[in-house]
Amino acid sequence: EHNVPSNFVRIAIASLLLWSTATMADDGGLIDDFKTQPETRWEFIADTVMGGISTGNVTFPQVNGDRRARMTGSVSTRNNGGFIQFRTKLPSPLPNTARGLRFIVRGNNQRYFLHLRTGGTFLPWQYYQAGFEAKREWKEVRVPFEDCKPSGTLLRAVPRPESLKSVGFVAFGRNHEAEMEVLEVGYY
């Protein structure tokens, strides 16, 4: 028979309670917080790949200890163009229980878009899209997968989380100056 010190038991119970509370409060996972070499995972893409004339870039500045992705540029619809974006491939599938994506964003009070690509989006113009507002203050935005609309009729009506291959943040569809920062990307 072993006598377990009562302090050990109390610490073990407290740790178990903290862990279970944290697990219940955690409603998803982190995809990226831009802290470690984000430039190796995220790429900037403009409509120049198809003859457009939009310009811009993505940088990863660190401000007050927080690193973020910052996309700026000019979107032009001339020459059949009209987008700039920064995108990352997902390193592993999301769980099939994920209900949507969440991200912390701010911008220049304009509408931007989330673009998702799956195993079924083979062509460059195939994606799932949902719009969101990037206000001047930081805000968490949650986008349910059912709000992500397919770009064409050959795609499923709603993307399956386990089939997601990439996530992109896009300035799209109209002439405007883009300025958007993302602090964190995850799922819920």
Side-chain angles (χ1 to χ4, degrees), residues 43-55 78-85 87 124-125:
E43 66 177 326
F44 178 82
I45 304 166
D47 57 22
T48 54
V49 299
M50 52 185 243
I53 61 169
S54 298
T55 60
R78 288 185 37 217
N79 289 359
N80 296 316
F83 76 88
I84 61 173
Q85 71 170 301
R87 177 172 72 187
W125 53 85

Side-chain angles (χ1 to χ4, degrees), residues 71-135:
M71 181 176 70
T72 57
S74 296
V75 179
S76 172
T77 56
R78 288 185 37 217
N79 289 359
N80 296 316
F83 76 88
I84 61 173
Q85 71 170 301
F86 66 103
R87 177 172 72 187
T88 189
K89 292 180 181 174
L90 296 177
S92 59
L94 298 185
N96 62 6
T97 56
R99 297 185 322 261
L101 292 181
R102 62 175 183 76
F103 46 95
I104 299 172
V105 65
R106 73 177 178 183
N108 56 350
N109 288 328
Q110 297 207 30
R111 186 162 182 78
Y112 293 94
F113 297 89
L114 181 68
H115 279 192
L116 307 177
R117 294 183 56 83
T118 68
T121 55
F122 301 109
L123 302 172
W125 53 85
Q126 291 180 316
Y127 51 84
Y128 291 88
Q129 175 178 276
F132 64 91
E133 302 298 319
K135 301 293 184 186

Side-chain angles (χ1 to χ4, degrees), residues 111-184:
R111 186 162 182 78
Y112 293 94
F113 297 89
L114 181 68
H115 279 192
L116 307 177
R117 294 183 56 83
T118 68
T121 55
F122 301 109
L123 302 172
W125 53 85
Q126 291 180 316
Y127 51 84
Y128 291 88
Q129 175 178 276
F132 64 91
E133 302 298 319
K135 301 293 184 186
R136 298 247 182 241
E137 304 80 33
W138 288 111
K139 178 182 177 184
E140 181 179 75
V141 174
R142 288 179 175 239
V143 177
F145 292 127
E146 61 261 13
D147 288 356
C148 298
K149 303 302 178 204
S151 62
T153 57
L154 298 178
L155 300 176
R156 295 174 55 90
V158 177
R160 293 189 333 259
E162 68 274 17
S163 73
L164 291 182
K165 301 291 184 193
S166 71
V167 175
F169 292 91
V170 186
F172 174 78
R174 61 189 170 78
N175 297 323
H176 68 286
E177 294 299 311
E179 183 180 332
M180 175 180 47
E181 293 182 315
V182 178
L183 195 59
E184 179 180 294

